[in-house]
């Protein structure tokens, strides 16, 4: 059966606790990234410090995806419209997260010193990632079309309009839908991770620091704007 409201709330509680702490660490990492940015030197000590910071930032993101994966396994529909995001933040979601090709816009806005070889590699990678996005988007449409019938089937089941054999058939169909959507979210998260890793393989250490700083700034800015809109909406409703 589809999870009810109370079950969804229970599933959301662990992430609702984890996410604010994760964002606080994100802000601290952003401060560190910005501190090392002004140095354009490539002395061994500075470069080693930057690479070590990049490693810690990537571990930080991996923690997010691991925790999110556990929540998705419990209730995949929760991560598709996560209550720990504001309505404004949710408008940026693509299969439960940022669209992978957004990484190339961040590179264009934050890294101005790509050489010709890097530029060519980035263009080829962008084409590859956008093709993967189109494939996942087509799969999403197919799953959404199947999901459209799920509420009708669930209602028929609750009202007892199905015989036992049909009940089992409906339950199996809905379980397949959940499984398909969970697999789709997993593939989208893999593509997001793959994109960032491959982008950073093209960038040098200093460029990677700037890229990660710009990505964190964008996420935190969207978060702040969403909170401001929610606060403004609450103020209007209480007037």
């Amino acid at each position: 059966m589809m999870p009810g409201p109370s079950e969804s709330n229970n599933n959301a509680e662990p992430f609702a606790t984890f996410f604010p702490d994760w964002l606080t660490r994100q802000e601290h990492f952003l401060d560190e990234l910005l501190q090392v940015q002004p140095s354009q030197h490539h002395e061994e000590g500075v470069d080693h410090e930057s690479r070590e910071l990049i490693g810690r930032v990537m571990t930080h993101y991996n923690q997010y995806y691991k925790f999110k994966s556990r929540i998705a396994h419990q209730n995949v529909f929760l991560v598709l419209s996560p209550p720990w995001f504001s309505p404004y933040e949710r408008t940026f979601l693509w299969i439960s997260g940022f669209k992978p090709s957004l990484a190339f816009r961040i590179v264009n806005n934050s890294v101005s010193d790509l050489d010709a070889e890097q530029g060519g590699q980035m263009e080829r990678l962008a084409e590859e990632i956008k093709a993967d996005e189109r494939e996942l988007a087509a799969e999403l449409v197919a799953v959404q079309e199947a999901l459209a019938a799920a509420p009708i089937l669930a209602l028929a089941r609750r009202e007892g309009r199905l015989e036992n054999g049909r009940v089992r058939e409906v339950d199996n169909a809905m379980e397949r839908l959940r499984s398909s959507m969970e697999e789709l979210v997993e593939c989208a998260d893999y593509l997001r991770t793959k994109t960032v890793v491959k982008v950073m393989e093209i960038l040098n250490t200093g460029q990677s620091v700037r890229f990660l700083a710009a990505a964190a700034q964008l996420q935190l800015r969207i978060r702040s704007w969403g909170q401001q809109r929610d606060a403004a909406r609450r103020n209007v409703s209480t007037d």
Side-chain angles (χ1 to χ4, degrees):
M1 295 177 62
M2 302 288 283
S6 61
E7 182 181 344
S8 295
N9 291 337
N10 290 337
N11 289 338
E13 287 175 4
F15 205 97
T17 301
F18 163 82
F19 191 54
D21 291 340
W22 187 89
L23 280 176
T24 298
R25 295 194 297 275
Q26 178 84 327
E27 292 172 347
H28 293 162
F29 278 125
L30 175 57
D31 289 340
E32 291 190 63
L33 289 164
L34 292 175
Q35 286 172 10
V36 301
Q37 273 199 78
S39 175
Q40 299 298 319
H41 304 294
H42 293 283
E43 290 92 342
E44 183 177 347
V46 174
D47 216 34
H48 173 77
E49 179 184 351
S50 297
R51 287 196 299 270
E52 189 272 338
L53 175 57
I54 290 170
R56 288 191 287 118
V57 171
M58 296 305 291
T59 297
H60 174 66
Y61 281 113
N62 285 336
Q63 289 171 347
Y64 174 88
Y65 283 113
K66 286 180 180 178
F67 206 103
K68 175 188 171 186
S69 178
R70 293 205 298 270
I71 300 299
H73 185 66
Q74 296 169 6
N75 181 0
V76 66
F77 300 104
L78 196 62
V79 302
L80 291 168
S81 184
W84 48 85
F85 285 161
S86 65
Y88 180 70
E89 288 174 286
R90 290 197 289 270
T91 64
F92 291 88
L93 295 182
W94 179 84
I95 316 182
S96 82
F98 72 87
K99 198 168 187 179
S101 55
L102 175 62
F104 302 104
R105 293 175 59 186
I106 295 175
V107 169
N108 291 337
N109 291 331
S110 62
V111 181
S112 59
D113 57 344
L114 292 177
D115 61 31
E117 182 180 0
Q118 287 176 310
Q121 291 175 325
M122 203 68 72
E123 288 180 5
R124 290 189 292 274
L125 178 60
E127 291 175 1
E128 174 190 335
I129 297 304
K130 287 178 181 178
D132 290 340
E133 284 180 347
R134 288 192 293 271
E135 183 177 340
L136 283 180
E139 293 179 17
L140 176 62
V141 169
V143 174
Q144 286 175 328
E145 289 175 349
L147 279 173
I152 299 173
L153 294 175
L155 179 62
R157 187 191 192 286
R158 284 198 301 271
E159 294 185 356
R161 296 203 301 264
L162 299 175
E163 298 177 357
N164 287 339
R166 284 287 292 160
V167 167
R168 189 177 302 109
E169 182 180 337
V170 168
D171 285 348
N172 290 340
M174 294 175 71
E175 180 58 37
R176 286 195 297 272
L177 288 176
R178 279 197 298 270
S179 179
S180 296
M181 189 59 80
E182 185 178 340
E183 182 178 351
L184 195 58
V185 168
E186 183 179 345
C187 289
D189 282 346
Y190 170 78
L191 185 57
R192 281 183 269 271
T193 302
K194 168 188 170 182
T195 302
V196 171
V197 169
K198 285 187 170 291
V199 162
M200 291 175 58
E201 287 176 351
I202 295 172
L203 302 177
N204 63 37
T205 302
Q207 292 167 337
S208 293
V209 167
R210 278 177 273 153
F211 166 70
L212 290 174
Q217 285 175 318
L218 177 61
Q219 179 185 17
L220 293 171
R221 192 176 300 125
I222 290 173
R223 177 75 171 175
S224 177
W225 288 340
Q227 291 174 330
Q228 290 172 20
R229 289 184 177 215
D230 286 352
R233 192 178 298 111
R234 286 194 296 270
N235 290 337
V236 169
S237 64
T238 55
D239 288 343

